Amino acid sequence: MRFDKHFYKANDRSHMEQSELWRQSDLEWLKSEGFTRFGLARLERPLSLAMYDEWLNEGLHGEMDYLARHRDQKADPKLFEARMRSALVFSIDYVAEDAATKSVPHLTAVRTALYARSQPEAADYHVAIKRRLQPVLNRLELQFPSAQFRLAIDTAPVLERELAQRAGLGWVGKNTCLIDRKAGSLFFIAEILSSLDLADVQMPAPDHCGTCTRCLDACPTQALISPRKLDARRCISYWTIEAKTVPPEELRPGFQDWFFGCDICQTVCPWNIKRWGESTFKMKNDREELVRELRWILTETNSKIEKTFQHTALARARGRGLKRNALIVIGNSRLHELKSEVEAFVADSKLAELAEWTLNQFNKA
Ligand code: B12
Ligand code: SF4
Ligand code: SF4
């Protein structure tokens, strides 16, 4: 873990001392716990609320109805947690130095997003990160017995990228991800909400995308419809993780061999290449193993698949979602070896059309 001047940049020390939230000993302790990037932000009406509203109004959230349901709580955090006034926002890397050798348990050859690959955070990162932040929460509770604190990551109705941007942890890149010049963007955002009324004095990080458009150019399904605007209905990550239905035919070839999630708009980003090098993002190419794993996905019962992945990020897609994803990878990678397994889905109530499409891909060059 790094502990350098970058840490101080992300955390306004004079402000920290003024708020008495963090003393030098606290900062040293956080360092020893492995936290090197965090900042403070006031919980208030988001600056980007108009962008969020526009995004919802244009229907770019697809089937993710909860994002519309969360809208009012995101607009006014007091509706979500009446007592909370501020947030300690953390940036937590999810890429290991040896990421190329990491895999989801039971799956080594299918292409999954880096955040879902085997490392402490991957075993349900919500649980793993909450567990990691628990000692920080405990310490805060001891230090401020009359204040309230609450851990949050991902699922809470909080606009985490905006919060992290205001906490000084990076800028919102054209790929919509929060990026830091040294850390890149391959990190989770997590926060400890607090009832302490802290002034928001962080210097927002300047935008370092400049004239670069690599992410927009590289997205195979043109989901980045303009800088900082993502149409989830075109995004591989959305379709392979969040959606319950089958993606439209015109998008499927763009999915290439992505089985779960997608990292393309981040792994082409110069700030991630600078941090991790390109080889970190490569997967081993093992057709035999890929066929074996996809055969298992297609032939195993949904309940057994769900049990196998119950403590991993893959649980979100459920058994049927992973079968859907497998059919697309098989079609795009022309895995003829799995023809009979695919044929078994031609009578499936939900996946029949997709299975026909997969079989048709075998006839293409
Ligand atoms: C829904 C969701 C998705 C959806 C939609 C993503 C999207 N870009 O909108 C899908 C399923 C596609 C998705 C994909 C991924 N996700 Co996601 N997702 C979320 C979730 C739950 C809500 C995001 C949301 O509300 N989207 C709606 C859009 C409009 O909001 P937004 O992306 O936050 O954008 C706001 C800011 O960018 C802000 N903004 C823009 N410009 C500026 C400028 C300034 C100055 C300011 C202040 C604000 C600002 O305005 C926008 C509207 O408010 C968050 C967790 C959370 N609670 O926030 C995780 C989250 C954004 N996801 C995350 C991750 C890791 C991913 C993936 C990398 C996973 C993967 N490998 O497949 C991909 C990345 C794809 C991509 N390019 O975004 C991380 C992002 C970490 C980071 N470094 O940015 C989050 C924060 C989860 C977490 N706690 O770590 N995700
Ligand atoms: S995650 Fe993949 S599909 Fe989604 S915007 Fe990025 S490159 Fe495009
Ligand atoms: S690829 Fe270029 S434009 Fe896209 S987020 Fe990275 S620096 Fe910004």
Side-chain angles (χ1 to χ4, degrees):
M1 276 292 181
R2 299 167 322 131
F3 180 68
D4 50 27
K5 61 183 186 304
H6 171 63
F7 174 85
Y8 294 103
K9 190 183 129 235
N11 300 281
D12 184 313
R13 278 184 67 204
S14 60
H15 166 53
M16 296 286 184
E17 282 153 14
Q18 174 203 323
S19 73
E20 293 179 7
L21 182 55
W22 300 107
R23 297 180 299 253
Q24 184 58 33
S25 58
D26 296 313
L27 297 178
E28 291 298 330
W29 174 77
L30 271 174
K31 171 194 158 194
S32 71
E33 290 285 305
F35 297 107
T36 55
R37 293 190 307 274
F38 65 90
L40 285 169
R42 199 183 277 150
L43 271 184
E44 58 189 12
R45 192 176 176 83
L47 298 170
S48 63
L49 188 63
M51 285 171 74
Y52 189 74
D53 282 342
E54 182 182 289
W55 191 76
L56 288 177
N57 290 337
E58 289 174 11
L60 305 184
H61 58 302
E63 296 168 22
M64 295 183 289
D65 297 337
Y66 69 94
L67 293 175
R69 280 200 304 278
H70 283 172
R71 188 265 169 208
D72 289 348
Q73 289 172 300
K74 283 178 170 169
D76 179 2
K78 289 195 186 64
L79 296 177
F80 165 51
E81 272 283 0
R83 300 158 306 174
M84 300 304 178
R85 297 283 176 274
S86 59
L88 251 169
V89 192
F90 293 83
S91 140
I92 301 169
D93 286 343
Y94 54 71
V95 179
E97 298 293 341
D98 56 348
T101 63
K102 296 278 184 187
S103 60
V104 177
H106 308 284
L107 301 177
T108 60
V110 296
R111 189 179 295 277
T112 58
L114 287 157
Y115 87 93
R117 292 197 207 165
S118 173
Q119 53 184 305
E121 280 77 16
D124 196 339
Y125 59 94
H126 302 102
V127 177
I129 289 179
K130 282 188 176 172
R131 203 177 293 137
R132 256 187 89 186
L133 283 174
Q134 191 62 45
V136 184
L137 186 95
N138 295 346
R139 192 170 171 120
L140 284 165
E141 283 175 343
L142 267 180
Q143 210 165 323
F144 302 94
S146 58
Q148 277 92 39
F149 299 96
R150 176 181 167 163
L151 290 169
I153 167 167
D154 200 27
T155 50
V158 175
L159 272 173
E160 296 188 310
R161 282 169 168 160
E162 143 128 20
L163 208 58
Q165 198 275 349
R166 286 199 283 109
L169 297 177
W171 76 95
V172 177
K174 291 180 191 173
N175 60 7
T176 77
C177 295
L178 194 85
I179 310 174
D180 171 85
R181 256 153 57 105
K182 286 193 180 165
S185 67
L186 298 165
F187 55 78
F188 294 117
I189 299 168
E191 51 280 342
I192 296 180
L193 307 178
S194 112
S195 62
L196 297 170
D197 211 350
L198 302 164
D200 191 352
V201 294
Q202 309 295 343
M203 282 297 291
D207 184 321
H208 289 285
C209 282
T211 55
C212 174
T213 55
R214 280 199 209 182
C215 51
L216 290 112
D217 301 340
C219 175
T221 50
Q222 292 83 46
L224 294 166
I225 51 179
S226 61
R228 299 176 187 83
K229 194 168 193 179
L230 178 146
D231 183 347
R233 297 166 308 175
R234 301 190 66 85
C235 175
I236 300 166
S237 176
Y238 164 76
W239 279 110
T240 55
I241 302 173
E242 294 289 325
K244 304 280 173 279
T245 51
V246 172
E249 190 173 340
E250 94 220 43
L251 293 180
R252 292 174 200 161
F255 285 36
Q256 303 163 8
D257 61 349
W258 284 94
F259 173 72
F260 186 83
C262 171
D263 290 324
I264 296 173
C265 58
Q266 296 192 88
T267 51
V268 298
C269 178
W271 299 106
N272 283 323
I273 294 173
K274 188 172 161 223
R275 162 110 199 245
W276 298 105
E278 282 177 86
S279 60
T280 307
F281 308 133
K282 291 206 166 59
M283 291 214 40
K284 66 173 181 175
N285 190 2
D286 183 342
R287 185 177 173 114
E288 216 173 289
E289 180 59 18
L290 182 63
V291 166
R292 198 191 62 76
E293 291 174 5
L294 292 170
R295 176 175 289 125
W296 177 74
I297 297 282
L298 288 190
T299 55
E300 191 49 271
T301 62
N302 289 340
S303 58
K304 179 73 193 301
I305 292 174
E306 284 160 20
K307 194 159 188 293
T308 306
F309 295 129
Q310 64 183 334
H311 297 303
T312 76
L314 272 69
R316 182 120 182 116
R318 315 285 310 262
R320 184 174 286 277
L322 294 177
K323 286 189 162 71
R324 169 200 62 198
N325 299 352
L327 287 169
I328 298 175
V329 174
I330 294 166
N332 285 337
S333 305
R334 314 280 195 264
L335 299 175
H336 306 88
E337 300 92 320
L338 293 168
K339 189 163 181 272
S340 61
E341 286 82 356
V342 174
E343 280 169 346
F345 283 86
V346 167
D348 187 273
S349 60
K350 297 215 169 104
L351 297 174
E353 180 276 325
L354 181 60
E356 291 282 9
W357 175 86
T358 304
L359 293 170
N360 284 336
Q361 304 315 299
F362 294 160
N363 303 323
K364 297 185 180 166

